[in-house]
Amino acid sequence: MKRMRGSRMTAGAVAGLTLLSGLGIGVATASPAAAYAGYCDDRYATVTKTFSGATWTAYLPGYKGDKDCTMGGGAQSSSVGLLQRSLNMCYSEDTGHSLKVDGIFGTKTGNALAAAQRREGITGDGIYGKDSRNHLKWEFTRNASTRCARI
């Protein structure tokens, strides 16, 4: 009886995962080192880049200091503020969006992000994640100077 119950539980688990897969909901199977970090929080990530022999720094949304994170509507953190600041600096003239840098991911931030995503040729879904991080331009600073560039 115990052996049969175990088989039924395994079959049920496989059927459940198959159903979720069919609905487009997956189960993470990556190794912990390669796994997604988490929802962007107040611990930003830094990226440095050299332009004309000088080192510039960009502050990116992060999760515990790791730049692999995601966020969308309703998020509230300094990471949202970093995104808002870069959207203003690097895209406001192109997209017509000017954001209050308040750290709140509301409708205006989502719309500005979607416009910047479309401008860079990626899906304009208004959700910040890996594609946004890699394709958007970021505000790089050095002393009191700023410039926009991809990471």
Side-chain angles (χ1 to χ4, degrees), residues 68-90:
D68 291 326
C69 64
T70 189
M71 62 184 162
Q76 293 186 30
S77 68
S78 60
S79 283
V80 176
L82 293 171
L83 175 63
Q84 291 168 328
R85 186 175 166 96
S86 277
L87 288 171
N88 280 343
M89 183 71 175
C90 303

Side-chain angles (χ1 to χ4, degrees), residues 11 25 78 107 131:
I25 302 170
S78 60
T107 303
D131 279 347

Side-chain angles (χ1 to χ4, degrees), residues 22-42:
L23 294 172
I25 302 170
V27 177
T29 58
S31 65
Y36 154 75
Y39 205 67
C40 303
D41 59 18
D42 289 325

Side-chain angles (χ1 to χ4, degrees), residues 2 6 8 30 39 46 51 67 76 79 86 89 112 114 135 143:
K2 285 184 181 179
R8 284 184 195 159
Y39 205 67
T46 58
F51 301 103
K67 64 184 177 188
Q76 293 186 30
S79 283
S86 277
M89 183 71 175
H135 289 90
N143 300 330

